[in-house]
Amino acid sequence: MIGGLGDLYREVLLDHSKRPRNKGSLGVPPASRGEGNNPLCGDEVTVYVLLEGDTVADVRFEGRGCAICMAAASAMTEKIKGLSRERALEVFDEFHEVLIGEREPSGARLGDLAAFEGVRRFPMRVKCATLPWHALKQALAADQAPGT
Ligand code: ZN
């Protein structure tokens, strides 16, 4: 399906899926963990987040799945490292709006995530691209749970 994307998009996605950034795990705790799976495609992702105060100090992912999902997880970790929790969630909202065609991508704000614009032509694959973000949200929420 990556063949159906434009050249620029395909290159960025292939690069992330072949050489994933921030792949691996972090100790839990102090890091928190979130999981997502997409049975339609067979994608499974675990995201680990280490917060320092309100800043995403480190983020890693593990999992297996299609190229879109793995590339999205890699691009996500690269983009959100160093951002505040709030800003990371804003990036997700913007990324999601791009995927569903409600917003044009801004490379300045989204970085490599802008390359996922082409996924909007394959609505079934939007879930593949957002799955790592749902795992991230779960990890961020877990960190806020009382007593942790
Ligand atoms: Zn998938």
Side-chain angles (χ1 to χ4, degrees), residues 61-143:
F61 79 98
E62 288 182 313
R64 57 203 166 95
C66 67
I68 297 277
C69 181
M70 293 296 103
S74 171
M76 175 188 82
T77 58
E78 197 168 63
K79 177 66 198 173
I80 67 166
K81 198 185 269 194
L83 299 183
S84 69
R85 178 203 309 258
E86 190 186 355
R87 181 71 193 117
L89 294 174
E90 282 171 8
V91 170
F92 173 46
D93 286 342
E94 181 166 347
F95 178 58
H96 187 240
E97 285 172 9
V98 166
L99 289 177
I100 60 177
E102 287 187 358
R103 185 199 279 251
E104 292 311 306
S106 156
R109 284 199 307 273
L110 290 178
D112 284 356
L113 292 170
F116 289 77
E117 177 195 8
V119 174
R120 68 174 59 167
R121 297 203 307 273
F122 306 89
M124 292 288 288
R125 311 309 287 272
V126 168
K127 270 194 178 147
C128 301
T130 57
L131 187 69
W133 292 87
H134 291 298
L136 171 74
K137 274 183 143 174
Q138 199 183 89
L140 290 174
D143 187 75

